[in-house]
């Protein structure tokens, strides 16, 4: 009877142990799978950012090339050999500088009449690409995007296209007369991905792999393609007649790693970036957890056996007490060691905190130096206009002084007095300009005070008045009443001058050159709206405007720090800076600053 109970007990213990091992295996595998997927998502995020950065970098290139006068001129006179040669050389130079595979111009039927690779054996000249979707999109007035194998070079690439309109016409007002296209190769990504052990694939909207670190997967699909999809691929010659088969139907070695994946959308064409984590890692993690559980169970069994022996052997009680005392001593020693480690960690943490404070002070000082450098850069840009502004009063002073001398020699004191008053007025004008420049150029002490926004706008406009006059731009100030904010007068003027200079640049080529400054306020905040009559802001540019070193100007005309510094200054005053397109025309920048609770300047 006792033997039967003992057998039942052992059987129950064995079943419990097997259950615990199974649960440990399942938990370890599930935890490893979650970690692998999380790691895969992070890898995909980095890869996707790199890929989208490359695609976005060249997004505006065909738009810019489409505005070349030579493009519309050659489309109007396609037989002009000299013009074609000049445009071929221009496109070749642009392609080399931009590091793209090709730039080419097609007429309204899709025939290539100018190309950057005109002097190569695989030249696009004379080739007709009217069957490509990117041509059909652009010839209907929309930008085109497409990935395909080149039917001339057999080299795959990403194509971006833009419509070309007749010279002198507004974009979109008439039908396009041609299409400009840019071809970009993405082969470098495949080389980079080969260093990753797990398969990585870039898949089009139909599920066809066109870029991967597994060459056997390229131009094969995740699943069988529908007949309609196959017909569409054949019609556009996207993959030049490649036989596309499901990856699952490939031989065992070729489809190795295909299975569960982590996906992320990327690009404009419905692409999916996929990472296929290795399931062997999941299996190894499950086995490891099961092995640890077995080990723990063995340890538990050993402990149970020891306890059983202790109960049966009272003579070993003394030895057990000694062992317990030793364990207590070891614990006390370990506690002392841990306490010492905690004290050391606390000291290190305090040192790191002090270093962090020093770094923060250095960053604040660097930011202030950047703001001051921005102000001095603005003064350098305004130097020519201010020199002209000061030269006029100097000339007037010289003339009035000569006249006054003549009148005094004749005894005509009344006329001489009038000339002296004119000299005094001109001197006051020069003093006002110089005083404003000195106030703007001085280094701000970061003191917060009540600032009269109307006065700051007028002072900024005064510094740029000659610039606007010299460029023939009308500056309109709509300042209904006085509003006050808490901030730094000089830094507010710096923000306004930067935004006004950007508006001045924006209307340089506009038929109507107007810049408006509108001051508004509600109970919570003051809004300074700066509107121009220029061409407006492309949507892909708006989201990057306030990033450091981002600029839409030509090389040598700015570092791209003006708007970043301006945004930082406004944020330091608990405000923010926004940019958008005006529904009527041009761009609009809005400065939001919290309104001062006490609407008056200190006495």
């Amino acid at each position: 009877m006792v033997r039967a109970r003992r057998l039942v007990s052992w059987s129950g213990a064995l079943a419990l142990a097997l259950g615990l091992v199974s649960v440990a295996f399942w938990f370890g595998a599930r935890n490893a799978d979650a970690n692998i997927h999380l790691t895969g998502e992070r890898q995909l995020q980095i890869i996707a950012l790199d890929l989208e950065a490359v695609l976005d970098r060249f997004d505006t290139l065909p738009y810019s090339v489409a505005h070349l006068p030579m493009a519309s001129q050659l489309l109007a006179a396609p037989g002009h050999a000299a013009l074609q040669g000049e445009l071929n050389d221009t496109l070749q130079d642009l392609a080399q500088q931009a590091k793209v595979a090709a730039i080419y111009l097609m007429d309204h039927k899709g025939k290539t009449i100018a190309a950057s690779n005109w002097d190569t054996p695989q030249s696009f000249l004379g080739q007709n690409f009217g069957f490509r979707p990117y041509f059909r999109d652009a010839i209907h007035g929309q930008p085109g995007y497409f990935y395909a194998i080149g039917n001339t070079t057999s080299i795959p690439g990403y194509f971006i296209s833009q419509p070309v309109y007749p010279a002198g016409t507004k974009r979109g007002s008439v039908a396009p007369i041609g299409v400009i296209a840019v071809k970009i190769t993405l082969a470098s990504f495949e080389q980079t991905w080969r260093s990753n052990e797990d398969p990585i694939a870039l898949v089009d909207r139909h599920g066809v792999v066109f870029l991967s670190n597994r060459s056997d997967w390229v131009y094969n699909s995740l699943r069988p393609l529908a007949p309609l999809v196959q017909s569409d691929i054949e019609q556009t010659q996207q993959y030049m007649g490649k036989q596309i088969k499901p990856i699952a139907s490939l031989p065992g070695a070729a489809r190795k790693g295909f299975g569960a994946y982590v996906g992320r959308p990327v690009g404009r064409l419905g692409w999916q970036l996929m990472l296929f984590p290795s399931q062997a890692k999941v299996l190894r993690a499950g086995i490891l957890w099961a092995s640890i559980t077995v080990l723990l169970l063995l340890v538990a069994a050993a402990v149970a056996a020891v306890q059983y022996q202790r109960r049966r052997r009272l003579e070993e009680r003394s030895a057990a007490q000694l062992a317990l005392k030793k364990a207590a001593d070891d614990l006390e020693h370990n506690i002392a060691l841990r306490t010492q480690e905690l004290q050391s960690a606390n000291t290190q943490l305090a040192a790191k905190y002090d270093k962090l404070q020093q770094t923060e002070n250095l960053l604040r000082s660097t930011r202030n130096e950047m703001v001051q450098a921005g102000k001095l850069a603005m003064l350098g840009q305004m130097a020519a206009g201010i020199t002209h502004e000061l030269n006029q009063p100097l000339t007037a002073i010289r003339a009035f002084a000569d006249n006054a001398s003549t009148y005094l020699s004749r005894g005509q004191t009344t006329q001489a007095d009038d000339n002296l008053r004119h000299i005094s007025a001109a001197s006051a004008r020069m003093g006002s300009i110089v005083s404003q420049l000195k106030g703007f150029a001085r280094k701000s002490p970061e003191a917060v005070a009540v600032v009269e926004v109307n006065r700051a706008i007028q002072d900024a406009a005064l510094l740029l008045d000659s610039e606007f006059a010299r460029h023939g731009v009308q500056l309109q100030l709509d300042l209904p009443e006085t509003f006050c904010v808490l901030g730094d007068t000089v830094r507010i003027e710096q923000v306004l001058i930067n935004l006004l200079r950007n508006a001045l640049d924006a209307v340089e080529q506009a038929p109507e050159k107007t810049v408006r400054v509108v001051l508004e306020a509600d109970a919570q905040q003051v809004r300074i709206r700066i509107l121009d009559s220029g061409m407006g802001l492309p949507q892909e540019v708006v989201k990057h405007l306030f990033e450091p070193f981002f600029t839409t100007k030509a090389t040598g005309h700015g570092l791209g720090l003006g708007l970043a510094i301006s945004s930082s200054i406004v944020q330091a005053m608990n405000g923010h800076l926004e940019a958008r397109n005006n529904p009527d025309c041009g761009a609009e920048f809005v400065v939001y600053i919290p309104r001062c609770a006490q609407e008056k300047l200190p006495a």
Side-chain angles (χ1 to χ4, degrees):
M1 187 69 179
V2 174
R3 185 176 181 182
R5 286 199 300 268
R6 185 176 297 175
L7 182 61
V8 171
S9 300
W10 279 106
S11 299
L14 181 61
L16 179 61
L18 291 175
L20 290 174
V21 172
S22 300
V23 170
F25 177 87
W26 173 82
F27 182 81
R30 189 183 69 168
N31 187 55
D33 186 68
N35 291 335
I36 289 173
H37 274 71
L38 181 60
T39 304
E41 289 174 355
R42 292 173 179 170
Q43 287 182 319
L44 284 185
Q45 183 179 13
I46 296 172
I47 296 172
L49 288 174
D50 290 342
L51 181 60
E52 289 179 338
V54 171
L55 299 181
D56 292 342
R57 184 191 311 159
F58 301 105
D59 200 35
T60 58
L61 180 58
Y63 182 89
S64 301
V65 178
H67 285 78
L68 288 176
M70 286 186 292
S72 57
Q73 292 171 5
L74 183 60
L75 287 169
H80 199 301
L83 185 59
Q84 183 186 38
E86 185 178 359
L87 183 56
N88 282 336
D89 292 338
T90 300
L91 295 181
Q92 187 178 58
D93 184 59
L94 287 173
Q96 291 173 352
Q97 294 299 322
K99 294 181 175 57
V100 297
I103 306 175
Y104 51 102
L105 175 66
M106 297 166 281
D107 63 15
H108 68 285
K109 293 183 179 180
K111 181 180 177 181
T112 305
I113 61 175
S116 61
N117 60 359
W118 62 274
D119 58 347
T120 65
Q122 296 176 326
S123 171
F124 290 174
L125 286 178
Q127 299 292 329
N128 192 303
F129 300 107
F131 60 92
R132 292 294 200 189
Y134 65 83
F135 173 82
R136 295 198 296 267
D137 290 341
I139 203 65
H140 287 93
Q142 299 295 326
Y145 303 92
F146 192 61
Y147 185 92
I149 300 175
N151 65 339
T152 301
T153 62
S154 298
I155 298 175
Y158 180 67
F159 298 84
I160 309 174
S161 62
Q162 285 285 350
V164 180
Y165 293 92
T169 61
K170 185 178 179 181
R171 182 177 178 86
S173 60
V174 297
I177 60 174
V179 172
I180 195 79
V182 174
K183 180 180 180 182
I184 306 164
T185 178
L186 303 179
S188 60
F189 285 95
E190 281 189 337
Q191 298 298 327
T192 303
W193 297 347
R194 292 190 191 282
S195 61
N196 197 309
E197 296 180 355
D198 297 329
I200 302 174
L202 189 58
V203 183
D204 67 12
R205 61 190 178 91
H206 300 307
V208 178
V209 177
F210 62 87
L211 210 65
S212 175
N213 58 353
R214 296 294 187 270
S215 57
D216 292 330
W217 293 14
V218 178
Y219 306 127
N220 289 305
S221 59
L222 301 178
R223 54 190 173 277
L225 299 180
L228 186 62
V229 173
Q230 292 179 345
S231 174
D232 180 62
I233 294 175
E234 292 173 0
Q235 183 178 2
T236 60
Q237 299 185 30
Q238 183 174 5
Y239 299 120
M240 294 298 295
K242 297 281 187 181
Q243 185 179 2
I244 299 175
K245 298 180 294 184
I247 296 176
S249 66
L250 297 177
R255 68 170 184 268
K256 181 181 179 182
F258 183 74
Y261 64 88
V262 181
R264 180 185 180 90
V266 66
R268 302 171 181 268
L269 300 176
W271 295 351
Q272 283 284 328
L273 185 61
M274 297 181 176
L275 176 70
F276 298 76
S278 173
Q279 296 303 306
K281 298 178 181 178
V282 177
L283 180 61
R284 287 197 298 267
I287 293 175
L288 177 62
W289 278 71
S291 301
I292 292 175
T293 303
V294 170
L295 181 61
L296 291 176
L297 288 175
L298 291 175
V299 172
V303 171
V306 170
Q307 293 296 330
Y308 177 74
Q309 292 298 324
R310 285 181 62 191
R311 287 196 302 267
R312 296 191 61 184
R313 298 178 182 178
L314 297 177
E315 63 273 18
E316 296 179 359
R317 179 178 300 175
S318 177
Q321 290 177 349
L322 292 175
L324 182 62
K325 184 178 183 303
K326 184 178 181 300
D329 294 338
D330 290 342
L331 179 60
E332 184 177 352
H333 178 68
N334 290 333
I335 290 175
L337 289 177
R338 294 299 183 188
T339 302
Q340 185 178 0
E341 291 174 359
L342 287 175
Q343 290 174 346
S344 176
N346 189 33
T347 303
Q348 294 176 1
L349 184 61
K352 290 181 178 179
Y353 177 77
D354 292 340
K355 187 175 181 180
L356 180 62
Q357 290 292 102
Q358 295 174 2
T359 304
E360 183 179 356
N361 293 334
L362 177 60
L363 287 175
R364 186 180 293 109
S365 174
T366 303
R367 185 191 66 184
N368 293 337
E369 292 299 328
M370 287 183 63
V371 171
Q372 183 68 10
K375 291 193 293 184
L376 295 179
M378 289 181 188
L379 287 175
Q381 295 172 351
M382 296 186 295
I386 293 171
T387 302
H388 177 74
E389 189 73 11
L390 292 175
N391 191 46
Q392 289 180 337
L394 283 173
T395 304
I397 288 172
R398 186 181 300 110
F400 284 130
D402 292 341
N403 291 342
S405 176
T406 302
Y407 286 136
L408 288 174
S409 65
R410 296 176 181 176
Q412 297 174 335
T413 59
T414 302
Q415 290 84 346
D417 185 60
D418 290 339
N419 278 265
L420 291 174
R421 280 197 294 271
H422 286 305
I423 290 174
S424 177
S427 300
R429 168 67 175 168
M430 293 175 62
S432 175
I433 294 174
V434 172
S435 175
Q436 187 66 20
L437 280 174
K438 289 170 62 181
F440 179 74
R442 75 176 185 268
K443 193 167 184 179
S444 174
E446 291 190 295
V448 176
V450 178
V451 179
E452 188 176 353
V453 181
N454 302 56
R455 180 63 179 273
I457 295 174
Q458 291 170 351
D459 290 344
L462 175 63
L463 288 176
L464 294 175
D465 184 57
S466 60
E467 286 286 315
F468 276 81
R470 185 161 59 89
H471 289 85
V473 179
Q474 183 181 7
L475 177 59
Q476 300 175 356
L477 301 181
D478 186 359
L479 312 177
E481 58 179 292
T482 300
F483 300 118
C484 297
V485 298
L486 283 176
D488 186 334
T489 301
V490 175
R491 294 198 173 186
I492 291 177
E493 291 178 11
Q494 181 179 355
V495 173
L496 293 173
I497 289 174
N498 184 61
L499 295 178
L500 286 172
R501 285 195 60 83
N502 286 346
L504 180 62
D505 294 339
V507 301
E508 183 176 0
Q509 304 297 329
E512 179 184 353
K513 299 182 178 181
T514 304
V515 176
R516 290 181 58 213
V517 180
V518 180
L519 179 60
E520 302 172 344
D522 54 27
Q524 301 298 326
Q525 60 187 358
V526 174
R527 296 184 297 276
I528 307 172
R529 301 171 56 205
I530 299 177
L531 306 95
D532 63 64
S533 59
M535 299 298 293
L537 300 168
Q539 290 301 319
E540 62 272 12
V541 171
V542 173
K543 58 185 178 181
H544 300 292
L545 274 178
F546 303 111
E547 296 177 2
F549 303 107
F550 178 84
T551 179
T552 59
K553 299 179 182 178
T555 303
H557 291 79
L559 296 175
L561 289 174
L563 287 177
I565 293 175
S566 297
S567 178
S568 176
I569 291 173
V570 176
Q571 289 176 6
M573 292 184 285
N574 297 320
H576 64 284
L577 179 60
E578 290 183 356
R580 54 177 176 254
N581 283 316
N582 191 0
D584 296 331
C585 70
E588 177 180 355
F589 285 79
V590 186
V591 180
Y592 296 90
I593 305 178
R595 189 170 180 178
C596 184
Q598 186 178 5
E599 288 280 326
K600 65 179 182 179
L601 294 170

